[in-house]
Amino acid sequence: MSKAARGFSVYLGIDIGTSSIKVILMTAAQDVLASATAPLEVMRPQPGWSEQDPNAWIAALGAAMDALKRERPAEVAAVKGIGLSGQMHGATLVAKDGAPIRPSILWNDGRSAEEARRLDADPRFHEITGNLVFPGFTAPKLAWVKTHEPENFAATAKVLLPKDFVRLYLTADAATDMSDASGTSWLDVGKRCWSPELLAATDMDESQMPKLYEGSQATGTLRPALARLWGMNGEVVVAAGGGDNAAAACGVGVTHPGAAFVSLGTSGVVFAATEAFAPNVESAVHAFCHALPNTWHQMGVILSAAGSLEWLSRLLKEPVPDLIGHLGNTPDYPAPVLFLPYLSGERTPHNDAAARGVFIGLAQESDRATLTQAVLEGVAFALADCQAALAAAGTTIPRYLAVGGGSRSKTWLTIMASALNTPIGIPEEGDYGAAFGAARLGLLAAEGGDPAEILTHPPLADTIDPVPALSEAYRDSYERWRALYPAVRDVMR
């Protein structure tokens, strides 16, 4: 008798990233059975722009699902719930027939800086959302489209976030979750509802918004045609899911006050769960809904974390592991070169889409190892800025969990722990990222249960403690590094 016939249940997590789509299969006991990825390309038609074709997400999802079905057909057949995660803020404009009107404008696109400044000057946005209006957020992008592409603005029936365009394909439902909606600048984050006032400020209305759900709620069921295509038996529930960071938090159990993670993905994040809505606009902290009811979180976000190291890798034509390998063990002292990792602008704490990367202190003896160490430390200092911003918002973080691809480097984590002067726990080998968190939310939507029992911390393989001598040396380097942005800000424009 097959596993499906015996009542074996499986849950699918889908994460729509910037560089790839990832899917995982998870059992009810939360064992990951298999995963698959498919690459995505970012289009940069002008400097500072960043776009993707929404139909490429669908094609990549199909390729990843085909790979899973070939590898684990019986397990795919047993899928009972699907959870979604995705890159936040992307403005995906769809027509009445559900087709995309233009490429999606992504989270790291800076074209709407002027529109963001205009909206941010309206005090209602601070009062209702509890956040600055960043150029990467969704509302200023629609303001840009209205000015520069009025025909596309007029044709927009719905504005969907990336994961929610995929949901429309899966279920035919226009829906989103509270965490992802928090990054649009249209959500009343404290009340967890769309703000008609803020929508009107951008000449939008609620009919153009997806329906709101909590991340663990079901938004619909998989279309029968897709269930047949993928060989799934019976009704498959689709959960609201979460924005990538909220879903990653669900994956590592950062869902209660005092829990926090530091993420070293393409972007970098300091993320702390909070029991109440706790905004602090002045510190440029993101105060958002979590993917669970009656829960919020604070984030400090930098736009180029591992992305900075990948840039250096492309420049020097050497793989990232080899670059880090040139450092040997953890450095004994800070690099003589300082690096600002603002390759795509910056959010926390500067909210400056025009900011750009800078090396300073280059000399004849500067080599690959010097530049690599400077990049690793520059990202660590930028995340120290985020930690300071959360502290200004009243959140103290006693320890972190490490997530993201960059967290596989113990050298980088030691630099990070020393710069933050905070221990960092490394989860045991396994997949605990956004796709896993999405699968957990799919399980909750399909089966119910207590989130506290489902969304647990992973066991730790190791804890990276700050190196006292390095932490002391970094204090001086960090102060010099912090003085760099004000000194060069005007020449970046």
Side-chain angles (χ1 to χ4, degrees), residues 267-290:
S267 61
V269 176
V270 170
F271 182 111
T274 60
E275 62 184 348
F277 179 43
N280 188 325
V281 175
E282 292 74 20
S283 64
V285 166
H286 296 29
F288 287 172
C289 300
H290 210 318

Side-chain angles (χ1 to χ4, degrees), residues 12-13 32 67 118 125 155 267 270 280 325 331 341-342 357 372 392 401 404 413 485:
L12 177 69
V32 175
R118 176 171 57 79
F125 281 87
S267 61
V270 170
N280 188 325
Y342 303 156
T372 301
L401 285 172
L413 288 183
Y485 169 77

Side-chain angles (χ1 to χ4, degrees), residues 66-91:
D66 286 346
L68 272 191
K69 185 180 174 183
R70 285 194 301 271
E71 182 182 350
R72 297 279 190 145
E75 287 79 3
V76 171
V79 168
K80 302 302 179 192
I82 297 174
L84 293 169
S85 165
Q87 49 171 304
M88 296 180 69
H89 315 303

